[in-house]
Structure formats: C-alpha cells, structure tokens
Amino acid sequence: MRYSNATNYALHTMVHLMLQPGDSSMGVQELAEMQQLSPTYLSKILTKLAKAGLIESTPGAKGGYKISRKKHEISFLDVIHATEGDTSLFDCSIHHEGCLIENVMRQAEENMKAELKSKLLIHIANEAVSKQK
Amino acid sequence: MRYSNATNYALHTMVHLMLQPGDSSMGVQELAEMQQLSPTYLSKILTKLAKAGLIESTPGAKGGYKISRKKHEISFLDVIHATEGDTSLFDCSIHHEGCLIENVMRQAEENMKAELKSKLLIHIANEAVSKQK
DNA sequence: TACATTACAGACATTAAGAGTCCTTAATAT
DNA sequence: ATATTAAGGACTCTTAATGTCTGTAATGTA
Ligand code: SF4
Ligand code: SF4
C-alpha cells in the first residue's frame, strides 16, 4: 500500500515547472534528465497531468510543457488525483447498506484528502526558492 | 493504490470474533466459510493478527482463535497495521533533508491514521448488534 | 516545401506485489 | 494413539505498476 512512483515523479515535475520563469516551456527530455528517468515513461505521466489541466503542452519544435494558468490553485490532491485516479483506498465490492466499516475507512481517507487539498504546490515552490537564498 | 483484500478480511474477522460470546474459540474453517474464502489464505492473515496480539490462538483439537484481552482497545489502525505493515504511503527513497514534499504527504497520512486510531472495533461491533435488534 | 523537433498513442515486455494453493510440522484434547 | 487444529514454507497464479519501442501528428525553422 504505497503511492506509486509516478505520483512522486509528477509532484517533482510540477514543482520544477512552477519554478520555471515566465512563459517558457520545458521539454520532456530536460525534465527526465533532472529526475534521472526515462523520457518515454515520464511522457506518459505528463500526458496525464496535461489531461487533468494541470499543465499545458504544445507539440512541435520549440514545444514542451509549462504550468497551467491555474498555477496558484493547484493542490497536492490535484496531482495525486491525476496520477492515481479517483479510486478509493478501501473499496469493498459488496457495499452493504450503511456499512459501518466503510464509513470509518472513507472518513479516514477524507481526512487525508482534506490535508492534501489544502496544501498548494505553489507554497512548496516558494519555500524551495527562499531556502536556496 | 488500495488497501489489500487481506485488510478487508481481517477487519471482518475481527468483528466476528468480537461478537463471539464469552471465551469461546472459532476455527479458521468456520471463519473462512462465513466470508467465502479459502481457509489456508485466511489462516495466514489470522497468524498476522495473532502476532500483533490482536487475537489469541490455541492449536490442537478444540483450538482456534478468540479475541485478545485488549478487546476494548483495538482500533482500526491496529488491524491495518497488522496486515499492511508499517510502511509509509509516500516513501521517497532519497530523503533530502527537510524535504517539503514528504512533510506534506506525511502529515496527510497522519491525519488519516488519527481517524483510524480513534475508531475502535468494539464500537462497530456494538452498533452491528443494536442494528440487528 | 522539406526537415528537425516535439508531444501523443498504442502495443509490448518486464518487474513486483498481492492473492491463493499445497504440503509438512507442531501442539493439544479426547 | 488419533483426530484436530494452528503455523510455516515453498510454490503458483494474477494483477498492477513500471518501463520500452515504434509510429503518428503537430509545430517551428530554413
Ligand atoms: S459490511 Fe461493509 S465492508 Fe463488510 S462486506 Fe458489507 S459492505 Fe463490505
Ligand atoms: S525533495 Fe523530497 S521527495 Fe523529492 S527527492 Fe528529495 S527527499 Fe525525495
């Protein structure tokens, strides 16, 4: 029971893109090198992020990825949702009416999600910058 | 990213054992039938629960499993911990000092665990009983 | 227009973990 | 002694994550 590596890569990539100045794009090549992983694999993750509207992609020469216009609203939960999908941590296939076990598990997951939703990536990016100084 | 079926089975089994009257034991055979799953597989899960001190096992004829003496203190988290192990949901292998990403992820997981720790199985068992009436 | 560059998509291979089975051993009651 | 039960190890099967390869479409540049 662990978050996938893809989520880790996605989070790092998002922070990288946030720190990129102005309207400049980065290619998957460059992004993959920074994280020491295969460009083709990262490409799939980036496509997911793009479909979720968290980043914007432009094909063709001088193309690449840049952070979405919603830059200041993107939460950890948004990224995780994009990579992990929207499945529940606990999902009993039976679904008895008013199941007490599910209630507890769902509530617990909600507590986690609430935190992940309240934390914005932009905060991490800003802190990272001020640390470097 | 889902909790394993084993956790589901474990939770159900624990509730069953809690509803058992007095000091009586149940065999893995009976417990497996109730949940429609293989006795040998459930046996492995029960062994984990026993090692975690959540249930007590007695081998030999007329043996079986019964709820531990800590019956009234056992939380959802205890059961999950026994079956899933103590690994973190988010575990970056690198561990940069004061990592901001990990901080957020860890905190979120803590929020979930807090809920799971506060919910005791005995409550579920009691509610299940009063519903039946 | 031709060409280089880049994202995108599908098929495929590899790996790791979960789920489940089978068989043997040890402990206990009758 | 024998039947019954839990525990443990080795094994297979299934599934999902991880990763690669190849081709296609879109875009800028010369
Ligand atoms: S009681 Fe809840 S968790 Fe258990 S089988 Fe029914 S729906 Fe699933
Ligand atoms: S910054 Fe944090 S999550 Fe990223 S590589 Fe370092 S330790 Fe891992």
Side-chain angles (χ1 to χ4, degrees):
Chain A
M1 233 281 286
R2 248 193 65 222
Y3 276 116
S4 68
N5 295 343
T7 294
N8 187 330
Y9 300 149
L11 287 169
H12 283 84
T13 304
M14 290 296 290
V15 172
H16 277 305
L17 288 176
M18 285 216 171
L19 295 175
Q20 214 57 17
D23 223 31
S24 59
S25 283
M26 292 184 78
V28 67
Q29 202 69 39
E30 195 178 350
L31 286 164
E33 269 174 31
M34 288 195 302
Q35 301 181 59
Q36 312 245 46
L37 59 98
S38 126
T40 37
Y41 183 44
L42 182 59
S43 166
K44 296 201 178 303
I45 298 169
L46 290 169
T47 301
K48 281 187 185 179
L49 294 174
K51 288 201 170 161
L54 306 182
I55 60 179
E56 292 168 23
S57 69
T58 53
K62 297 287 175 190
Y65 298 93
K66 62 185 173 190
I67 199 77
S68 138
R69 280 164 300 253
K70 300 186 298 183
K71 179 172 178 176
H72 299 279
E73 307 167 19
I74 299 173
S75 69
F76 274 68
L77 185 60
D78 292 326
V79 179
I80 292 170
H81 194 274
T83 55
E84 301 277 341
D86 60 352
T87 61
S88 257
L89 244 63
F90 182 86
D91 191 8
C92 172
S93 50
I94 301 180
H95 291 305
H96 282 122
E97 184 135 2
C99 167
L100 302 167
I101 296 179
E102 270 192 346
N103 279 357
V104 172
M105 300 297 282
R106 290 287 166 88
Q107 181 57 53
E109 189 174 359
E110 286 308 314
N111 284 8
M112 180 169 70
K113 285 189 174 172
E115 174 79 5
L116 293 173
K117 192 171 184 176
S118 75
K119 296 294 181 182
L120 303 184
L121 284 182
I122 190 76
H123 296 156
I124 300 297
N126 289 341
E127 283 194 54
V129 169
S130 53
K131 266 198 179 181
Q132 274 183 332
K133 288 176 186 172
Chain B
M1 233 280 287
R2 249 194 65 222
Y3 275 115
S4 68
N5 294 346
T7 294
N8 188 331
Y9 299 148
L11 287 170
H12 283 85
T13 304
M14 290 297 290
V15 172
H16 278 305
L17 288 175
M18 286 216 170
L19 295 176
Q20 213 57 17
D23 223 31
S24 59
S25 284
M26 293 185 78
V28 67
Q29 201 68 39
E30 196 178 350
L31 286 164
E33 269 174 31
M34 289 195 301
Q35 300 180 62
Q36 312 245 46
L37 58 97
S38 128
T40 38
Y41 183 43
L42 182 58
S43 166
K44 296 200 179 303
I45 298 169
L46 289 169
T47 301
K48 282 187 184 178
L49 293 174
K51 287 201 169 159
L54 306 182
I55 59 179
E56 292 167 24
S57 69
T58 53
K62 297 288 174 188
Y65 299 93
K66 62 185 174 192
I67 199 78
S68 138
R69 281 163 300 253
K70 301 186 298 184
K71 179 172 177 176
H72 299 279
E73 308 166 19
I74 299 174
S75 69
F76 275 68
L77 185 61
D78 292 326
V79 178
I80 292 170
H81 194 275
T83 55
E84 301 276 342
D86 59 351
T87 61
S88 257
L89 244 64
F90 182 86
D91 191 10
C92 172
S93 48
I94 301 179
H95 291 305
H96 284 121
E97 184 136 3
C99 167
L100 300 166
I101 296 179
E102 270 193 346
N103 279 357
V104 171
M105 301 297 282
R106 290 287 166 89
Q107 181 58 53
E109 189 175 357
E110 286 307 315
N111 286 7
M112 180 169 68
K113 285 188 175 174
E115 175 79 5
L116 293 174
K117 192 172 184 175
S118 75
K119 297 294 181 182
L120 303 184
L121 285 183
I122 190 76
H123 296 156
I124 300 298
N126 289 342
E127 283 193 54
V129 169
S130 54
K131 264 198 179 181
Q132 273 184 332
K133 289 176 187 172

